[in-house]
Amino acid sequence: DVKVTQSSRYLVKRTGEKVFLECVQDMDHENMFWYRQDPGLGLRLIYFSYDVKMKEKGDIPEGYSVSREKKERFSLILESASTNQTSMYLCASTSITGELFFGEGSRLTVL
Amino acid sequence: DAKTTQPTSMDCAEGRAANLPCNHSTISGNEYVYWYRQIHSQGPQYIIHGLKNNETNEMASLIITEDRKSSTLILPHATLRDTAVYYCIVRAYTDKLIFGTGTRLQVFP
């Protein structure tokens, strides 16, 4: 089975801290995605990557950056966390046929 | 912007077929139709996808109209565990994947 693993299920950080959210997939997928999900707003795309060292902005990239140094790993970085970045963050990857597989999610609270 | 239109919510009696419609009138020739669902507090789950032919798997059936401008996801015998938000998405493989607001399906006893 495809496995998408997110490093932390729950994080609590302070305003201004740098936050790393790690995502690893074990099926050699080329496409990987980072979303955030907030009540009433659904899933919103932050960034996606279609190859190593390649990245594209999604709908809400402000305040975030990403890193894709290896094919299996896609990291989301909050350079200076703010309270409005409190959210559930979901990582996903797609197979060659486009089937999307999600991780369990990382719930981030910024105080 | 999402390229699909779905009803906001639907109800279905347990044991009956749930038919979830999706309009995608601007779909391009290289775009597939994907269906996902999200059960409360879990990550979205892949259900099925298709290009132009009807598809069936152990979870559901996907009916795509001949002009490809709309599709229907069919859950043949809905159970209470099928209560979820269902997302219809059209995309080509290299496209960013955008979720709309989906259809909230409530299965009742």
Side-chain angles (χ1 to χ4, degrees), chain A residues 65-101:
Chain A
S65 61
V66 290
S67 172
R68 185 99 181 266
E69 294 296 320
K70 293 184 178 182
K71 193 173 186 179
E72 67 270 19
R73 188 179 298 271
F74 191 35
S75 302
L76 181 69
I77 303 155
L78 289 66
E79 294 288 343
S80 178
S82 63
T83 54
N84 63 10
Q85 292 178 309
T86 291
S87 186
M88 170 68 85
Y89 290 89
L90 289 157
C91 174
S93 68
T94 60
S95 69
I96 191 92
T97 58
E99 298 172 45
L100 190 69
F101 299 90

Side-chain angles (χ1 to χ4, degrees), chain B residues 42-85:
Chain B
Q42 299 180 17
Q45 173 191 24
Y46 165 83
I47 301 173
I48 198 167
H49 75 285
L51 184 62
K52 53 184 178 181
N53 297 321
N54 297 337
E55 302 288 340
T56 295
N57 63 21
E58 65 278 4
M59 289 182 67
S61 294
L62 173 60
I63 309 298
I64 302 174
T65 58
E66 194 168 341
D67 63 8
R68 302 211 319 129
K69 292 185 177 181
S70 66
S71 60
T72 301
L73 178 74
I74 301 172
L75 307 178
H77 306 286
T79 71
L80 297 178
R81 288 176 295 181
D82 292 322
T83 292
V85 178

